[in-house]
Structures are given as C-alpha cells and as structure tokens.
C-alpha cells in the first residue's frame, strides 16, 4: 500500500541520523515537515556510534548495494565540505584474531570478487600504508586495507543537516518526550507529544531508534528486534598519526574531530550491566581495559585518557537487515530501523523522502520492507 502522493504535511519522529536526513530531504522537496525528538538531537544511538563508513566483509547482495550507495552520498558530501573535520575518507584496516576463526584470506577474496577495493598486507607492511599502527599487534595472517572507507562524526553531521533543514522552513521540536502516532481508520492522521502538543500529518516517519519495534507494536504489527547495548568511549585529544579506521580483534578505533579517538568492542559491550533502577552499569575496569586494548594497537602505545563515553541501545532488527518503508495496511506510516545508521544515513533519508513524497517504492529498498515480518495471510 502506498501513501497518497505529495503529502502537504509530514511529521518525523526521531532526531538521529535517519530522522534528520529524511527531514532535510523532505524540505528540499518543498514538503512542510516537523521533526519531533524526545530530547536534544543526536541523543540516541547516533550520538554513540563508531560511524565507520563501509561495506566490508559478507552481507546480502541487496544490503551491500545499499551500503555502496550510502558511501557514494558521503563522497558527494565530502566534496561539498572538503575541509570538514567530521567526515574523512582515509581508509579502513581490519585484522582478525590468530586462531581458527581468522577469515582474512577468505574476506580478501570475497571483497575482491565484488570489486570492493581491498588490499592485503603482511604485518610488517601495514604501517607503510596506514601510519599509526603498531605492527607487532597485527596477527600473522595479515590485514585488509580498504582505501575507500571512512568515518563520520554523526552529531556534527546532524548539526549541519539540521541547520539546512531549518533554513528551508523546517521545524524542529526537541525535548518533547515520547511521541504517540495517531491512526484513524487505516491511515495516520497526526502525532501527539508527551506534553500534549499535537501536529496534524498526512504521513509520518518513525525513526526513533531502539524504540521503533515497541511503538510499531501498538498498531498490532511486528518488527523483530535484536537490539543489544552499545558502549562508545571517546578519548581526550592526543598527538598521533592514525587517520584510518581500525577494526581489530579486541578494539575498533576511529579518529574524532577534536584529535582524540572513539573506541568500541564486542567484549566491552557485553560487560555493561544494569543497576536496580534500570540505568546502565559501566565498570571502570571495562573502560580502562578498552583504553589498554586501543593503546596496544597504536604506534608508540600512547597513554589514552577518557574524555567521555556513551552507553545505550544499538538498534538492530531481528534478522540483521535494515527496515525501511511504509507499514502494511496503514497509509502514510513509514519506519526507519537499522544498524549501520552512519553508512546508510544519507541514502536512507533520500530514498524514504522520495517514497513519502511520491508514493513510489524504490527498488533499492525492496528487500528491506517491514512487511517481511508480517505473517502470511490466510
């Protein structure tokens, strides 16, 4: 089912990259748009994302194509802001643990077969292509360098897009608390904030991060959810030559606009606990351990200090694939729910805005529709 073409009023719920990107694309199309967020912009997963721009390793063909389109849009943006400290394309370097699960050779062959730019280097040659690496930390199987990869600081990008959005006449409502989507019959009709403010809408986009499945469930529909907890640590600025994104067995690292590093890992996220009041329990030993693991892989093994950290849910659909598009049986109710928010942020906003404006489904999103979670009729 498609929404009516060219709605006169759209409300977007969510101030992360999907919500802000879609909003600015709608405004560029001349559609009156209100963006409503529960707190300040980028207060959710977009504010604690490693934000590595890539399509490395294995995934479905459709997902790979969408990610490549996403990277393409960032390259266009980088040409527009060539000196931006918050968007860089200095490549990505990956190596696996020295054990039976090491897939570097297999991944290199796979990426080359796709035409995804990949180079395989022995440990002693790595520092020559990506300065800032401690070669002793690279496992004997070597590492893959992907020259076309990069990183983005999402809060900075969101700020740039939000300023354009408001300059085009868009309205941003922050600190609105939880928002309720109003459905009348088989179509959306508006959005109400926790404080009682209401906005009429012919179409809405729900881009509320990890809250999307629960909000959609209020309609009786389902989006399967596999959302874990994410922990991102940002270090204080440090003089260091590393420019590439690093993905290593014990830590992932990327530079930050202020000269520090952003760090995350699977093991550190698993150590996050919950306090009796439901808040997150992040142990100092976990933070210190992440700093140590980062120091081990960096040239000179610098002493790293924490500037701040973010912890909270990392939106991941139940089957690992993105969820984009209109809900079945509810006219004008669109959703955006996905991992890889950074890589997909610009392209998803562009395609969703086009679908909302025209009612035409884009083929790049064909495999990612929310109806895949709906039971077959009959």
């Amino acid at each position: 089912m498609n929404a009516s073409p060219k709605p006169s009023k759209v409300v977007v719920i969510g101030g992360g990259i999907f919500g802000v990107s879609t909003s600015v694309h709608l405004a560029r199309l001349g559609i009156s748009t209100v963006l409503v967020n529960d707190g300040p912009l980028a207060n959710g997963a977009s504010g604690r994302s490693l934000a590595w721009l890539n399509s490395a390793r294995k995934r479905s063909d459709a997902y790979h194509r969408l990610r490549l389109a996403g990277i393409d849009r960032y390259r266009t943006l980088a040409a527009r802001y060539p000196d931006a400290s918050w968007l860089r394309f200095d490549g990505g370097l990956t190596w696996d643990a020295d054990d039976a699960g090491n897939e570097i050779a297999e991944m290199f062959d796979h990426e080359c077969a796709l035409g995804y730019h990949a180079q395989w280097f022995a440990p002693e040659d790595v520092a020559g292509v990506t300065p800032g690496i401690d070669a002793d930390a690279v496992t004997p199987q070597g590492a893959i360098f992907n020259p076309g990869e990069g990183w983005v600081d999402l809060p900075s990008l969101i700020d740039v897009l939000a300023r354009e959005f408001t300059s085009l006449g868009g309205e941003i409502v922050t600190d609105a608390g939880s928002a309720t989507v109003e459905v009348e019959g088989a179509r959306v009709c508006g959005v109400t904030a926790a404080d009682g403010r209401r906005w009429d809408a012919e179409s809405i986009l729900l881009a509320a991060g990890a809250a999307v499945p629960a909000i959609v469930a209020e309609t009786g529909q389902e989006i399967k959810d596999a959302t874990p907890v994410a922990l991102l640590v940002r270090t204080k600025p440090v003089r260091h030559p590393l420019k590439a994104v690093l993905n290593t067995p014990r830590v992932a690292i990327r530079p930050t606009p202020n000269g520090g590093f952003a760090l995350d890992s699977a093991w550190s996220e698993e150590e996050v606990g919950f306090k009796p009041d439901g808040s997150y329990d992040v142990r100092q030993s976990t933070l210190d351990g992440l700093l140590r693991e980062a120091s081990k892989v960096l040239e000179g093994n610098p002493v790293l200090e924490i500037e701040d950290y973010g912890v909270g849910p990392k939106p991941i659909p139940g089957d690992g694939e993105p969820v984009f598009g209109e809900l079945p049986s509810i006219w004008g109710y669109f959703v955006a729910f996905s991992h890889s928010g950074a890589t997909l942020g610009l392209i998803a906003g562009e395609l969703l805005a086009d679908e909302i404006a025209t009612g035409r489904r884009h083929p790049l999103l064909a495999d990612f529709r929310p109806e895949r979670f709906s039971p077959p009729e009959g």
Side-chain angles (χ1 to χ4, degrees):
M1 181 177 293
N2 293 322
S4 302
K6 199 70 170 182
S8 61
K9 187 68 172 288
V10 176
V11 176
V12 174
I13 302 172
I17 186 57
F18 289 142
V20 175
S21 175
T22 306
S23 294
V24 76
H25 279 97
L26 287 166
R28 290 171 184 171
L29 294 172
I31 295 175
S32 177
T33 305
V34 178
L35 171 65
V36 180
N37 197 46
D38 57 354
L41 297 181
N43 65 326
S46 291
R48 51 179 182 270
S49 169
L50 188 70
W52 169 33
L53 305 176
N54 79 95
S55 190
R57 304 191 85 101
K58 289 185 178 180
R59 51 184 46 84
S60 70
D61 290 343
Y63 199 3
H64 180 63
R65 288 194 299 272
L66 186 61
R67 292 172 74 100
L68 291 181
I71 294 170
D72 172 76
R73 297 308 190 271
Y74 277 103
R75 290 199 171 279
T76 301
L77 188 68
R80 183 177 170 189
Y81 297 98
D83 299 320
S85 63
W86 43 267
L87 175 60
R88 308 302 303 170
F89 279 98
D90 294 304
L93 185 75
T94 300
W95 69 85
D96 290 353
D98 182 18
D99 57 29
N102 190 295
E103 297 180 328
I104 286 298
E106 180 185 352
M107 289 305 105
F108 176 72
D109 289 343
H110 172 73
E111 291 177 8
C112 288
L114 292 175
Y116 189 72
H117 198 182
Q119 300 169 328
W120 187 7
F121 292 96
E124 61 271 21
D125 298 324
V126 165
V129 68
T130 53
I133 309 300
D134 185 334
D136 291 338
V138 182
T139 47
Q141 296 87 345
I144 295 173
F145 181 62
N146 300 110
E149 295 178 354
W151 60 269
V152 62
D153 182 72
L154 284 178
S156 298
L157 172 58
I158 286 169
D159 180 64
V160 169
L161 295 178
R163 281 188 273 116
E164 180 185 353
F165 175 60
T166 55
S167 75
L168 293 171
E171 179 185 356
I172 297 177
V173 180
T174 56
D175 301 305
S178 58
T180 301
V181 179
E182 297 179 7
V183 178
E184 188 174 278
R187 69 176 308 140
V188 296
C189 61
V191 171
T192 301
D195 61 8
R197 284 177 292 176
R198 185 185 182 281
W199 298 270
D200 290 329
E202 295 178 17
S203 294
I204 70 101
L205 171 69
L206 178 63
V212 167
I215 296 173
V216 166
E218 296 171 2
T219 70
Q221 300 191 43
E222 180 183 23
I223 293 177
K224 292 190 183 299
D225 188 16
T227 294
V229 172
L231 170 66
L232 185 81
V233 170
R234 285 171 287 260
T235 76
K236 294 180 180 179
V238 58
R239 291 181 63 85
H240 199 272
L242 181 72
K243 293 184 177 180
V245 180
L246 300 187
N247 288 273
T248 81
R250 294 285 294 173
V251 65
I253 308 175
R254 71 152 167 89
T256 59
N258 72 345
F261 294 116
L263 318 173
D264 75 6
S265 72
W267 67 264
S268 58
E269 293 175 351
E270 292 171 357
E271 290 188 1
V272 175
F274 293 89
K275 297 178 181 178
D277 63 1
S279 62
Y280 296 101
D281 181 19
V282 180
R283 300 196 297 266
Q284 187 64 43
S285 60
T286 300
L287 301 175
D288 292 341
L290 201 54
L291 294 177
R292 284 195 302 272
E293 295 294 346
S295 179
K296 288 178 185 177
V297 303
L298 294 173
E299 176 186 304
N301 307 126
V303 175
L304 301 176
E305 298 179 84
I306 291 178
E307 182 172 86
D308 61 19
Y309 67 87
V311 60
K314 175 167 61 178
I316 298 181
D319 60 3
E321 298 272 294
V323 183
F324 295 129
E326 194 174 21
L327 290 179
S329 305
I330 303 180
W331 288 57
Y333 196 147
F334 292 80
V335 298
F337 177 60
S338 181
H339 186 36
S340 309
T343 300
L344 300 181
L346 297 181
I347 188 64
E350 176 186 327
L351 300 184
L352 285 166
D354 183 72
E355 290 197 353
I356 292 168
T358 68
R360 296 191 302 265
R361 291 186 161 202
H362 198 285
L364 271 178
L365 301 184
D367 287 357
F368 308 120
R369 302 293 175 188
E371 58 258 34
R372 70 180 186 269
F373 299 113
S374 301
E377 296 182 4

